[in-house]
Amino acid sequence: MNAADVLPAQFNVASYFVDRNVDEGRGAATAVICGGRVLTYADVQELANRSGNALLELGVQMEDRVVLLCLDTPEFLAAFWGAIKIGAVPVPVNTLLRTADYRYLLNDSRAKVAVVSAPLLGEADGAVTQAPALRHVLVTGGAAGRHLSFEDRLARASSTLDPAPTSRDDAAFWLYSSGSTGFPKGAIHLHHDMVVCLETYAKQVLGLRQDDRVYSAAKLFFAYGLGNAGYFPPGVGAQSVLSPDRPTPEHVFETIARHRPTIFFGVPTLYAAMLAAADPRRRDELASVRLCVSAGEALPDDIYTRWRERFGVEIIDGIGTTEILHIFLSNRPGKVKPGSSGLPVPGYEAIIVDDQGTPVPRGEIGNLRVKGDSTMAGYWNKHEKTKETLWGPWIQTGDKYWQDEDGHFWYAGRADDMLKVGGIWVSPVEVESTLIRHPAVLEAAVVGAEDDERLVKPKAYVVLKTASAASTQLADELKTFVKDKIAPYKYPRWIEFVPDLPKTATGKIQRFKLRS
Ligand code: 3UK
């Protein structure tokens, strides 16, 4: 699918996803459900308009970035659509990070304004004072302290707003993606990109309809959650269930029971945890759900099979990336090949090439390359990384894949050392450099190891300054040490003390030797 063939040159995607619902008569229809709050499409439009006007009043102009450090509430969507409607560029960021991460993201993006959920202010506050381009912080859902209240500014702003005359190829929003070395890279997405994902994956694979009610345990700040709960539902006038809470199995079961979604989106780790936590006396927890979706990391076939037996509903595994925005290879409802990533989504092409870029024979492992019109324009301020990633209309995902006789694609690991843990990137280098800050540690190497569910988690091999100090206690201390210093989900689940690490002649750690 080529966006230029279907969208006008002047195009504002906030109008497409928000105003169009009201213009087409769905103003009174339910758009968003969040706890006890129910918002109609007219409510969402009004919030987005007020939010756009509030940003304009604070001096935000077209192309200015607005960082969103927001939990999943209607205010996230209001800020996201409001910013896009005035031609500004919202940058949703991971809510699980630490002060040092936020300092980097605010400075790399040079955001003029940040919208921050009150519970996240503690972690963000130390960063906002060190971001010279940042002029205002809008706090939502609680005391603003020395900052501005999002709700107060919205209440005072006008509820009507004309869309900025953006083009379908203007930058609409960014999403940051972690790399194996160095800092996260801001993937620049254009006004047409979300429409492409809606028209291809959401409509043609999920068969998303106006009478669907979706619930995504994956949060809106992920490219996955943003599509699932942010723009897919308004793309067809459907309903979205949001929750600002941590998606524990208990909370997710409760939310499903309370709001009865028809489509549920999760990650493999959550599916495994839900299977373990399900009440054996009940069989109908997922009665409302017609389809479950998994992405973020490969779904082991065993989890697929146990889930279908336990709940009577299929999980459709598909692979997406932040750079391509959403899922481009996917299984199809009723035709799942368990353990595979399925077939290309209509509108996308996928090939497997060797390191020279030549397609490999069927059945051989190679590098996955994908062509599709939702692919990012490039990385912000990362010219070399952009050149390594984009190849004309093709993008190299960094994944190793092979294709079977039926054309199904099978995940075969990463081309770099990056780990996907519970669907979120973890860089071994970051965990290693945190471990060696501990006084007892001489050297460390972090690789992925499989847990009982065959899901990857970080494992650290640690060389101590004094080998005899090795103990279970010290291992626990090192885990806590990492959790306290960087985003807690990155901590090594296992620590093995070793006398030395395998290295190349030039001293580079050979992680592949530790993996096997
Ligand atoms: C890995 C998978 C095997 C793979 C995402 C749905 O995960 C998303 O985006 P990210 O940028 O990570 C991308 C990388 O994650 N991966 C994702 N899904 C699968 N590996 N099977 C899968 N089903 O390494 C990929 O390169 O965080 C997921 C929709 C949008 C997304 N951005």
Side-chain angles (χ1 to χ4, degrees), residues 276-347:
D279 181 348
R281 291 161 305 182
R282 291 194 52 190
R283 309 296 303 175
D284 58 347
E285 297 100 316
L286 265 70
S288 66
V289 177
R290 70 171 174 92
L291 198 62
C292 293
V293 178
S294 177
E297 60 186 310
L299 180 73
D301 57 356
D302 176 60
I303 298 179
Y304 166 85
T305 306
R306 282 160 53 214
W307 185 272
R308 204 187 48 184
E309 282 167 4
R310 176 65 180 74
F311 298 111
V313 52
E314 273 194 311
I315 308 178
I316 309 300
D317 186 15
I319 173 176
T321 71
T322 302
E323 290 81 352
I324 304 173
L325 191 53
H326 215 279
I327 291 171
F328 51 84
L329 291 179
S330 178
N331 281 283
R332 301 298 194 275
K335 294 184 202 145
V336 170
K337 236 191 201 190
S340 85
S341 303
L343 301 165
V345 168

Side-chain angles (χ1 to χ4, degrees), residues 341-399:
S341 303
L343 301 165
V345 168
Y348 293 84
E349 289 172 61
I351 53 171
I352 299 171
V353 301
D354 63 19
D355 290 342
Q356 282 67 49
T358 311
V360 301
R362 184 66 64 102
E364 278 181 26
I365 294 176
N367 304 303
L368 184 67
R369 270 190 197 176
V370 177
K371 186 170 138 183
D373 215 14
S374 60
T375 299
M376 66 170 185
Y379 294 120
W380 174 254
N381 250 333
K382 296 267 186 297
H383 181 59
E384 294 303 321
K385 290 277 179 212
T386 302
K387 285 190 290 183
E388 287 165 22
T389 308
L390 295 179
W391 298 79
W394 296 87
I395 178 165
Q396 186 126 324
T397 67
D399 296 299

Side-chain angles (χ1 to χ4, degrees), residues 1-7 11 13 16-17 168-169 173 189-205 231-232 324-328 345-348 371-375:
M1 172 193 182
N2 226 340
D5 299 334
V6 294
L7 297 178
F11 176 77
V13 74
Y16 180 86
F17 280 107
R168 66 179 172 234
D169 298 341
F173 63 102
H189 280 289
L190 309 182
H191 276 252
H192 69 250
D193 293 352
M194 292 187 281
V195 180
V196 173
C197 296
L198 168 72
E199 290 298 329
T200 57
Y201 176 71
K203 288 193 182 171
Q204 300 184 55
V205 175
Y231 60 88
F232 287 170
I324 304 173
L325 191 53
H326 215 279
I327 291 171
F328 51 84
V345 168
Y348 293 84
K371 186 170 138 183
D373 215 14
S374 60
T375 299

